[in-house]
Amino acid sequence: MLMTDLLYARAQMGLSLAFHIVFAAAGVALPVLMVLSDLKARRTGDADYRLLSQKLAKGTAILFAVGAVSGTVLSFELGLLWPEFMGRYGEVIGLPFSLEGVAFFTEAIFLGIYLYGRERVSPGLHLFSGVMVAVSGAASAFFVTLVNTFMNDPSGFTPTPAGPTDVQPLVAMFSPGWQYQTAHVLLSCYQASAFAMAGIHAFVLLRHPGAAFHRKALSIALPLACVTALLQPLVGDLSAKHVARAQPVKLAAMEAHYETQRGAPIRLGGDVEIPKGLSILAFADPDAEVKGLNDFPRDEWPPVPKVHLAFQLMVGTGSLMALLALVTLAYRVRKKAWPEGRRMTWAWLLTGPLGVVAMEAGWLVTEWGRQPWIVRGVMRTSEAVTPVPHLSAPFWTFTAVYLFLGVTVVFLLARQVAGTLPGRDGGDAHVH
């Protein structure tokens, strides 16, 4: 397919978001795991937990630095690739962007204190700085998600041919459904990071079963992973119910539902059908009417196969993680300990990447599902794109930059993990 400048602009924004979201999620979740490790170290005096909090702090710093770079790129791209959107709606939705900047700088300040003040400030202030890093990271993600909520369900202004009037920034910032989308995003950050951390330490434990440091690290990651994996389907259900009411065409694309129908079924994988399942999930009513794609103008359809596939991937991976969380918590309740057997360790290794997969798939559902609008029902994506030609050049340039940054980050994080292996300086042999 011949790529137009519009497609290159969308592809560049999509690539930037897909790359940035991984580091943004880690910036939200790793400080929580860092503080939990720090608390455990203070309570038990165990040097392994202290070392873990230090390693997590270094990992947070690495990911924070890369996230700052990719986030800055995104800020420039919003203005350079989509000038009509920022020109018309910048005043409407500028408040959460400003607050996100405040949260970002607050996080940077307290991360510096936590990293370099361990022996220079009081223990209470040091722990408080860690908590503030976690709170600031969550606030940053919260404010950015509010912008996306506005784009999906705009409010707080009166649209006119000349642009928005009667602007109410607070109403725009808290557009309908903000509570579902922000909760869904924050949970996905904690879930993806906790599962990734569990997967990394499970990998080491399969090779070095006696590595006490990694067993303790797993005990920090598993509670957060299990709780978020079980909460996420509940919040996702509330979010889907809001989408059914506010964006019925997106719901129809998510489910590849073409004909309006009462008592609509859910189709799993195209072959298995659950009678009245979609009506129940969307409206909590087995006889509720669910609008199909054919009720909407064809030029307002999202890319149905892509949205449907991404949604199925999100739900499928989320279900696998929730199932593993249930089994793990059942073992914990019954045995009064976290699972240690090879089968469960393998299970956590294999599901380690699924949190990131589900998170990326969920964002694709959100972004593809809003097309062809950049601000749903008000401004089309094609109306917002820059008139500057030859957008293929920055797309391939940034692709190369992101590949370089990705390889660099993997190398740096691998060195952090390698330093904790038995027999390495800083690992079990050193601690014990």
Side-chain angles (χ1 to χ4, degrees), residues 335-346:
K335 301 288 187 178
K336 308 298 182 186
W338 295 108
E340 295 187 0
R342 286 185 65 83
R343 287 184 179 179
M344 287 298 292
T345 306
W346 266 108

Side-chain angles (χ1 to χ4, degrees), residues 98-310:
S98 301
L99 293 174
E100 192 274 336
V102 173
F104 172 81
F105 285 114
T106 303
E107 184 180 4
I109 291 168
F110 282 104
L111 180 57
I113 295 172
Y114 190 87
L115 280 170
Y116 303 109
R118 187 178 290 271
E119 308 299 338
R120 296 178 175 83
V121 300
S122 67
L125 178 57
H126 184 256
L127 182 63
F128 174 75
S129 67
V131 172
M132 287 304 298
V133 173
V135 171
S136 301
S140 184
F142 175 82
F143 291 126
V144 167
T145 306
L146 290 179
V147 177
N148 189 267
T149 303
F150 167 83
M151 295 167 74
N152 280 282
D153 203 349
S155 63
F157 67 98
T158 301
T160 70
T165 60
D166 304 322
V167 175
Q168 303 175 66
L170 281 176
V171 176
M173 186 166 77
F174 294 102
S175 292
W178 67 269
Q179 62 271 53
Y180 308 122
Q181 190 164 338
T182 53
H184 199 44
V185 166
L186 287 171
L187 278 175
S188 72
C189 294
Y190 298 126
Q191 183 179 357
S193 300
F195 266 82
M197 178 175 167
I200 290 168
H201 293 290
F203 173 76
V204 176
L205 286 168
L206 286 169
R207 300 183 65 189
H208 306 280
F213 171 85
H214 294 278
R215 181 67 58 192
K216 293 168 186 175
L218 196 61
S219 74
I220 294 294
L222 288 183
L224 184 61
C226 290
V227 170
T228 53
L230 295 177
L231 285 177
Q232 190 65 285
L234 303 177
V235 174
D237 178 65
L238 293 174
S239 182
K241 284 180 167 58
H242 173 75
V243 169
R245 297 189 301 271
Q247 303 175 69
V249 67
K250 179 185 284 189
L251 177 73
M254 287 159 55
E255 296 289 351
H257 181 67
Y258 287 87
E259 300 297 334
T260 297
Q261 185 177 354
R262 288 191 176 276
I266 282 184
R267 297 175 181 86
L268 304 177
D271 299 318
V272 180
E273 190 173 285
I274 302 175
K276 301 191 177 185
L278 184 54
S279 291
I280 293 172
L281 287 178
F283 299 103
D285 178 358
D287 298 315
E289 180 181 88
V290 180
K291 289 189 177 296
L293 286 161
N294 289 333
D295 272 19
F296 301 93
R298 186 65 182 83
D299 66 346
E300 294 184 8
W301 286 18
V304 178
K306 293 180 181 179
V307 175
H308 179 61
L309 180 60

Side-chain angles (χ1 to χ4, degrees), residues 51 54-56 58-59 62 200-201 204 213-214 406-422 424-427:
L51 176 61
Q54 292 172 334
K55 291 289 184 181
L56 287 169
K58 290 179 181 178
I62 293 168
I200 290 168
H201 293 290
V204 176
F213 171 85
H214 294 278
V407 171
T408 303
V409 168
V410 170
F411 172 75
L412 292 173
L413 293 180
R415 288 191 63 184
Q416 292 296 314
V417 174
T420 64
L421 295 177
R424 301 288 186 92
D425 290 341

